[in-house]
Amino acid sequence: MSRPALPDDTELRDRIRGLDLDLDSKIRLLTGADLWRLPAEPRLGLSAVTMSDGPQGVRGTGDDPAETGLLAPAPSALAAAWDTELAERLGELFATEARRKGVDVVLAPVVNLQRTPVAGRHFEYFSEDPLLTGTLAAAVVRGLQSRGVGACLKHFVANDSETDRTEYRARLDERTLREVYLAPFEQVLAEAEPWSVMAAYSGVDDGTESARMTENARLLREVLKGEWGYAGPVVSDWAATRSTVASAVGGLDLVMPGPDGPWGDALAAAVRAGEVDEEVVDDKVLRLLRLARHVGRLDEPGPAAVPAEPAPQEFRLLREVAARGTVLLRNQENLLPLPSDGIHSVALIGPNAVAPYLQGGGSAYVRAVRTVSYEEGLRAALPENVRLTVHRGGDARLRLPYASADLLTDPDTGQRGVRVDHLDADGNRIGGEARATGDWTMYDGFAPATHRVRLRTAVTLTEPGTHRLEFGCSGRFSVNVDGEEVLSGADDRGVELVLESSHSHPPRRGIDIEVGAEGRRLELALELTVVDAGGYGRFVTAQVRHAPPGPTPYEEIAEAVAAAQVADVAVVVVGTNEEVESEGWDRTGLDLPGHQNDLVRKVIAANPRTIVVVNAGAPVLLPWADEAPALLWAWLPGQEAGHALADVLLGRREPSGRLPWTLPARAEDVPVPDARPRDGIVDYAEGVHVGHRAWDRAGLVPAFPFGHGLGWTRWSYESVSLSPTPVSATAPCPAGGDGLNLTVALTNTGPRAGCEVVQVYLEPPQDAADRPVRLLAGFATVQAAPGARITAEVHVPARAFQIWDGEAGAWRTPPGRYRLHVGRSSRDPHLTAEVTVGDGRVHPAV
């Protein structure tokens, strides 16, 4: 890979030297000023640079708790469109949203790989494939940075699961690291030059060095900055830095968040003691100044203003991404799209039909400016004479809803709500308030001297039957009901509670309460010690949840099935929820939660015109998939979910998505079933055989293969021609430069206009040592009217032919005969061409 041209930094270097900044002033710039902002330095002309989370939308800094934003479909949904132009447009929208919120750097995209389907942040990653990931992420970066907002490529590297994510080492050989996990980072850096990179929480052991990624000199200094020529800063993941000298000399440039951390005075002392060269500090300052210059925070009045409110075209783009990313997995007898007439009733069924899961949990969370439910979207799109009924069919969530304010009484005033008292270390009350809610997650509305928080309320239950109360708290706490302790905790950790997400999803304890005709009143008292989470602030978390007497899941399923029987069409929406897919933990299995499989099977049996919609970001097992007349995968679709689904069901937009990962039929077939560390190690024993490559190697049949998707029309693949270009021993660019160009002719033979993703898979020589059976080598997205013949141009980069030679420390191209399979998925080839590689060139096979 050729190194990108380094910026002319003469003026910046002269500025640092000319001002003669003292060591402490320079080091102050290397730790965040607060949770999201970098320090300013007027003497350098440096204004504060502001960062924000951003994989599914720009969250903002949290200065205004009521701040809302645009909620885009999850990255896996964008990846399903296989469309770089669409990805770049979404990046541009993120940039506009960032400027709307005063944000200079968006902490996205995420280019870790979907190594295992149970990974907690699977929804936040693009794909199980490195080429698809790198190509789409590069497009997002180009879109962001074209409008002056920096991208932060993360999480460098091999941070592909959540269990013990701040502690584990990923153990993998250098070839696997180079060909699979470093590959998307290298590609994005070459094609889009992101202005910042984030080092992961976890560590890497590649056989040469074993270290946390914030300290990994081989990967940060030698590979990222040296070999690849990366000129921007390496930012720590939040609270990931654990050392002073090791991280400073290892290649980290910025510790986040601040103002505290392991650098500051400790780093200054290390420099004065000769443990860290001051030139290392100067290089870090220079990299931060480059970032500030890119985003307009160096000697500039600041970025241009953008409209304060989202424009209609921004909502339309989110709707388009959600619809185009939707994957049509099955469509028996062309049930979809639904006809414009002849339908008089629709039954909308399922727990996710009632409560759609729009976004994954954790740092990707955005408080949406608006949300369109599936019910709202269908009601707006269906003719007025079509009757729409909605039925949950059982709750798929384990956690109960928060207790309604109507049940809660402040014991001091008799008004609705919960009384909170702020206590100092001696138990003296120094403040307090009342709020009408059972949700006290990350409550921080108290003075700095507060040591404990006490919540008091009376719960009044009037409906006869069995009620259930549920409590969840973080840290050190006690929960008393009518003076009796029912739950307690003694966890004195701080920031770790945030990093594992138990600050927002604490362990819970439920109790059943029998209520007679006379009703019942319960006195609740919760006492919590304030958690000090460093840069994340000081807070307590307490949750009071309640479920009244009601129908059982089986009774709800029966009611839904009865509705399906009399409807012209049944639309069943099943999927995951915030308890299943989130940052902070990995899933324990692939089954749909609750009784959703029973619900689907019974509705299918009741109505032959059943459309099943899966609302999930990561794979789930669908044991009834072959029975579903029509099956759509709708991802975590963001705020425009209802409009996008209505567009698809009614044929207003084609579901042109293709799976960016493999959907298993059985849990026992999954190549990497979990990512639990063993003795602190996550062993990448599968090597280069990740995702669809592993399925091909094992010869197993998934429910639906990588790249699968139907759309509204049919395609005839007619011919493929090759235009060879030199394939050098070391490709100048991992996904561009030298390689091979394919021209594929195809015709839309169906009745409707459509979009096709032409996919090219490279099959290396059979005698190649431990190479994938097939690997994705290129793709192109084309559109055509019915009957139209078009051509797709697909570039296969030189890197697709290469392997990493560990002994030589370089890329090499094994000679031999290669096959190129052109088709609609990894398991559906339509055309094949052969080439031979020798003397550094690709030749048509003879």
Side-chain angles (χ1 to χ4, degrees):
M1 171 184 171
S2 61
R3 293 167 60 113
L6 292 176
D8 182 1
D9 295 321
T10 302
E11 189 273 334
L12 293 183
R13 296 178 188 275
D14 289 345
R15 183 181 308 201
I16 296 172
R17 285 194 294 264
L19 289 172
D20 196 25
L21 283 183
D22 62 274
L23 177 64
D24 291 330
S25 295
K26 289 185 287 189
I27 287 177
R28 184 182 65 84
L29 300 177
L30 307 183
T31 296
D34 57 26
L35 187 59
W36 297 113
R37 295 173 184 83
L38 278 57
E41 176 50 81
R43 289 177 291 175
L44 290 172
L46 175 65
S47 302
V49 173
T50 301
M51 298 181 166
S52 168
D53 282 320
Q56 202 169 341
V58 183
R59 179 193 285 185
T61 61
D63 292 344
D64 178 5
E67 183 177 42
T68 60
L70 294 173
L71 174 60
S76 54
L78 175 64
W82 292 56
D83 189 322
T84 55
E85 186 270 339
L86 186 65
E88 191 161 340
R89 286 166 55 203
L90 188 63
E92 292 170 353
L93 183 148
F94 282 175
T96 300
E97 179 78 343
R99 287 309 184 202
R100 188 176 288 130
K101 297 186 173 188
V103 168
D104 304 303
V105 178
V106 176
L107 304 179
V110 182
V111 293
N112 301 109
L113 297 185
Q114 295 162 340
R115 176 176 174 258
T116 172
V118 300
R121 298 177 84 168
H122 194 286
F123 67 90
E124 204 173 328
Y125 308 154
F126 288 98
S127 173
E128 67 186 22
D129 186 87
L131 178 68
L132 182 58
T133 295
T135 302
L136 296 174
V140 172
V141 172
R142 286 194 298 270
L144 264 170
Q145 297 188 167
S146 70
R147 300 195 175 182
V149 174
C152 186
L153 196 65
K154 64 181 189 180
H155 308 86
F156 191 79
V157 59
N159 185 192
D160 309 295
S161 52
E162 291 296 284
T163 304
D164 293 338
R165 63 175 175 163
T166 63
E167 301 297 333
Y168 73 73
R169 293 280 198 280
R171 178 187 291 158
L172 64 173
D173 61 81
E174 188 176 6
R175 181 185 168 197
T176 298
L177 188 61
R178 290 279 188 164
E179 294 184 23
V180 180
Y181 298 96
L182 282 174
F185 286 94
E186 184 182 12
Q187 181 180 349
V188 176
L189 285 159
E191 293 184 8
E193 298 186 18
W195 297 336
S196 61
V197 172
M198 181 184 290
Y201 285 117
S202 53
V204 166
D205 178 357
D206 64 356
T208 301
E209 180 175 356
S210 177
R212 294 181 179 275
M213 279 311 306
T214 51
E215 304 169 2
N216 199 307
R218 169 165 167 72
L219 293 176
L220 294 181
R221 289 173 52 192
E222 294 181 24
V223 175
L224 177 63
K225 295 180 177 180
E227 181 184 330
W228 295 351
Y230 170 64
V234 175
V235 184
S236 76
D237 206 335
W238 266 228
T241 314
R242 305 285 185 86
S243 64
T244 300
V245 174
S247 58
V249 301
L252 189 68
D253 299 304
L254 175 64
V255 171
M256 289 298 287
D260 300 321
W263 284 6
D265 292 343
L267 179 55
V271 173
R272 294 184 176 106
E275 298 175 276
V276 178
D277 196 303
E278 189 167 354
E279 290 185 358
V280 172
V281 173
D282 290 343
D283 179 70
K284 299 179 192 304
V285 173
L286 179 62
R287 290 173 181 273
L288 289 169
L289 292 182
R290 288 174 184 151
L291 173 62
R293 181 170 59 187
H294 279 307
V295 300
R297 295 298 181 186
L298 191 65
D299 288 336
E300 296 187 30
V306 299
E309 298 297 327
Q313 64 265 27
E314 297 178 49
F315 294 129
R316 288 196 294 269
L317 177 57
L318 299 182
R319 182 172 178 169
E320 178 186 353
V321 173
R324 289 186 55 190
T326 300
V327 183
L328 181 61
L329 297 172
R330 277 173 61 85
N331 193 22
Q332 299 301 101
E333 300 181 5
N334 293 320
L335 176 57
L336 288 173
L338 294 173
S340 57
D341 55 15
I343 294 178
H344 304 288
S345 61
V346 175
L348 180 61
I349 294 168
N352 287 51
V354 173
Y357 190 35
L358 305 180
Q359 59 179 315
S363 59
Y365 179 83
V366 174
R367 189 168 183 262
V369 65
R370 80 175 192 190
T371 59
V372 182
S373 70
Y374 293 128
E375 178 184 357
E376 291 168 334
L378 284 174
R379 287 197 187 280
L382 289 170
E384 291 184 0
N385 63 339
V386 175
R387 181 171 177 262
L388 177 67
T389 61
V390 182
H391 316 269
R392 185 170 70 170
D395 191 359
R397 287 170 171 80
L398 296 176
R399 296 177 187 269
L400 307 181
Y402 287 111
S404 167
D406 293 335
L407 304 178
L408 307 175
T409 303
D410 177 349
D412 288 359
T413 66
Q415 303 297 313
R416 286 195 314 167
V418 177
R419 171 62 52 181
V420 55
D421 299 315
H422 308 156
L423 311 176
D424 65 15
D426 297 323
N428 300 312
R429 187 180 186 278
I430 57 175
E433 61 175 315
R435 294 186 182 181
T437 179
D439 181 10
W440 296 79
T441 302
M442 288 200 79
Y443 171 68
D444 60 359
F446 44 76
T450 303
H451 179 69
R452 286 179 295 147
V453 170
R454 180 186 298 137
L455 303 176
R456 296 177 291 125
T457 191
V459 179
T460 303
L461 307 175
T462 58
E463 183 178 354
T466 302
H467 293 248
R468 188 162 180 83
L469 285 176
E470 186 176 272
F471 308 97
C473 303
S474 291
R476 181 174 291 273
F477 63 89
S478 64
V479 178
N480 287 266
V481 178
D482 285 342
E484 180 180 348
E485 185 175 275
V486 298
L487 182 64
S488 64
D491 191 339
D492 292 320
R493 293 178 299 162
V495 69
E496 295 84 1
L497 298 175
V498 176
L499 300 183
E500 70 182 21
S501 294
S502 63
H503 70 298
S504 57
H505 287 75
R508 66 193 192 285
R509 164 78 184 277
I511 58 174
D512 290 331
I513 306 294
E514 295 298 331
V515 176
E518 69 282 0
R520 190 164 175 185
R521 179 184 171 99
L522 304 169
E523 302 291 336
L524 304 187
L526 297 82
E527 190 154 319
L528 307 103
T529 300
V530 172
V531 174
D532 187 345
Y536 287 96
R538 303 174 71 246
F539 64 88
V540 297
T541 285
Q543 299 172 353
V544 180
R545 299 170 180 269
H546 167 254
T552 68
Y554 303 103
E555 291 169 335
E556 289 194 30
I557 290 174
E559 186 263 344
V561 170
Q565 285 177 321
V566 299
D568 293 328
V569 173
V571 178
V572 186
V573 187
V574 295
T576 57
N577 53 57
E578 70 281 355
E579 299 174 0
V580 179
E581 295 191 72
S582 175
E583 177 180 359
W585 66 84
D586 294 320
R587 292 191 289 166
T588 57
L590 297 177
D591 290 325
L592 283 168
H595 301 273
Q596 295 183 85
N597 287 329
D598 289 342
L599 172 67
V600 172
R601 281 198 161 113
K602 289 179 178 178
V603 172
I604 290 174
N607 190 326
R609 302 184 72 190
T610 294
I611 303 159
V612 183
V613 180
V614 183
N615 170 206
V620 291
L621 298 178
L622 309 177
W624 36 260
D626 291 341
E627 306 165 30
L631 178 57
L632 291 163
W633 199 284
W635 308 103
L636 307 184
Q639 67 178 55
E640 302 299 307
H643 288 326
L645 181 61
D647 288 344
V648 167
L649 294 179
L650 301 179
R652 297 173 180 176
R653 189 175 288 278
E654 181 185 28
S656 56
R658 305 292 186 264
L659 289 178
W661 40 251
T662 305
L663 182 64
R666 306 185 309 165
E668 55 266 36
D669 292 340
V670 174
V672 182
D674 69 73
R676 291 190 299 272
R678 273 74 172 179
D679 297 323
I681 299 295
V682 175
D683 191 359
Y684 285 50
E686 71 280 3
V688 298
H689 306 283
V690 63
H692 59 96
R693 302 176 181 185
W695 286 87
D696 289 341
R697 184 191 197 197
L700 295 170
V701 179
F704 297 99
F706 176 82
H708 173 74
L710 299 177
W712 287 153
T713 190
R714 299 182 299 275
W715 296 89
S716 172
Y717 282 66
E718 296 167 357
S719 65
V720 57
S721 59
L722 311 178
S723 301
T725 57
V727 176
S728 59
T730 56
C733 179
D738 296 344
L740 187 67
N741 296 318
L742 282 72
T743 300
V744 181
L746 64 164
T747 298
N748 180 351
T749 60
R752 297 172 62 98
C755 177
E756 176 69 334
V757 180
V758 178
Q759 303 167 40
V760 177
Y761 294 86
L762 180 68
E763 180 184 333
Q766 295 300 306
D767 60 352
D770 198 34
R771 295 201 71 180
V773 175
R774 285 180 296 278
L775 55 89
L776 180 67
F779 63 92
T781 303
V782 294
Q783 299 181 24
R789 187 177 190 269
I790 57 171
T791 57
E793 303 294 333
V794 184
H795 178 68
V796 175
R799 182 59 57 81
F801 294 88
Q802 297 177 331
I803 64 172
W804 179 259
D805 186 330
E807 293 185 5
W811 293 97
R812 66 178 178 87
T813 307
R817 184 179 294 256
Y818 293 75
R819 289 188 176 91
L820 291 156
H821 302 286
V822 183
R824 308 196 70 242
S825 79
S826 64
R827 296 288 180 94
D828 187 17
H830 287 241
L831 300 170
T832 299
E834 292 192 356
V835 297
T836 57
V837 174
D839 62 28
R841 296 183 63 87
V842 175
H843 306 274
V846 295

